[in-house]
């Protein structure tokens, strides 16, 4: 019965279950939910990967700046587990993620110190770290404050020691 209900989920719901399944597989391989979702692993992964990435112009700008400072990377990389990363060096498992306004609970200019990552972003970070990835977070409000290409290149050079 439950398997039938999983099969009735929308594409969006299946997509959201994929990272949960990856997490459960790492943390509690024999949990009943892990076993249940494992029967739907291919469908969960396919649904997640069907969700088209929509990189912003800002993400493209960060990628271009990374290239300028000599940090070669894959744009919109998909990990072996089927998780998407904005910019990544798969061989060294280093990822750069641009965090736009939707990644934060508070986005007002007057409360910069009060900005906190939302649950989905925290979950993805935790999952990727558990998978051995090092994450470099580029908050949109820090990036937007940089006005010149030289400032942006220097910022990334400081954030990413290997750049």
């Amino acid at each position: 019965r439950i398997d039938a209900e999983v099969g009735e989920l929308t594409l969006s719901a299946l997509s959201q279950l994929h990272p949960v399944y990856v997490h459960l597989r790492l943390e509690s391989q024999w949990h009943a939910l892990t076993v249940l979702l494992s029967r739907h692993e291919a469908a969960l992964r396919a649904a997640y990967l069907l969700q088209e990435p929509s990189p912003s112009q800002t993400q493209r700008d960060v990628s271009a700046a990374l290239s300028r400072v000599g940090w070669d990377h894959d744009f919109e990389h998909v990990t072996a587990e089927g998780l998407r990363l904005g910019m990544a060096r798969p061989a060294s498992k280093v990822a750069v993620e641009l965090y736009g306004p939707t990644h934060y609970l508070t986005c007002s200019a007057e409360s910069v110190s009060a900005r906190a990552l939302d649950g989905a972003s925290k979950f993805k970070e935790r999952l990727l770290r558990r998978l051995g990835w090092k994450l470099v977070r580029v908050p949109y409000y820090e990036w937007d404050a940089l006005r010149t290409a030289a400032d942006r290149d220097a910022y990334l050079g400081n954030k990413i020691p290997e750049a």
Side-chain angles (χ1 to χ4, degrees), residues 15-45:
S15 173
Q16 291 174 28
L17 277 175
H18 176 66
V20 172
Y21 169 67
V22 172
H23 167 74
L24 286 170
R25 198 175 66 214
L26 289 168
E27 299 291 332
S28 187
Q29 186 175 4
W30 302 114
H31 188 280
L33 185 56
T34 311
V35 173
L36 169 68
L37 291 177
S38 72
R39 294 193 290 255
H40 304 280
E41 180 177 6
L44 298 176
R45 182 184 176 116

Side-chain angles (χ1 to χ4, degrees), residues 136-147:
V136 177
R137 188 187 306 162
V138 177
Y140 77 97
Y141 51 88
E142 289 180 3
W143 185 258
D144 288 350
L146 304 167
R147 295 293 170 211

Side-chain angles (χ1 to χ4, degrees), residues 52-68 73-77 84-88 96-103 124 138-140 143-144 152 156:
E52 286 295 319
S54 55
S56 67
Q57 184 57 51
T58 304
Q59 184 174 341
R60 292 179 196 287
D61 293 344
V62 172
S63 179
L66 286 170
S67 295
R68 278 195 311 272
H73 60 281
D74 293 350
F75 187 71
E76 289 297 324
H77 176 74
R84 275 203 185 86
L85 299 170
M87 293 144 279
V96 175
E97 291 279 275
L98 172 69
Y99 280 40
T102 61
H103 291 265
K124 182 178 178 183
V138 177
Y140 77 97
W143 185 258
D144 288 350
R152 290 176 172 181
L156 291 174

Side-chain angles (χ1 to χ4, degrees), residues 6 10 17 22 26 57 65 70 83 85 92 101 109-110 118 127 133 142 145 156 158 162:
V6 169
T10 65
L17 277 175
V22 172
L26 289 168
Q57 184 57 51
L83 302 173
L85 299 170
S92 58
E110 56 278 352
D118 65 10
L127 181 55
W133 285 86
E142 289 180 3
L156 291 174
N158 289 331
E162 39 185 68

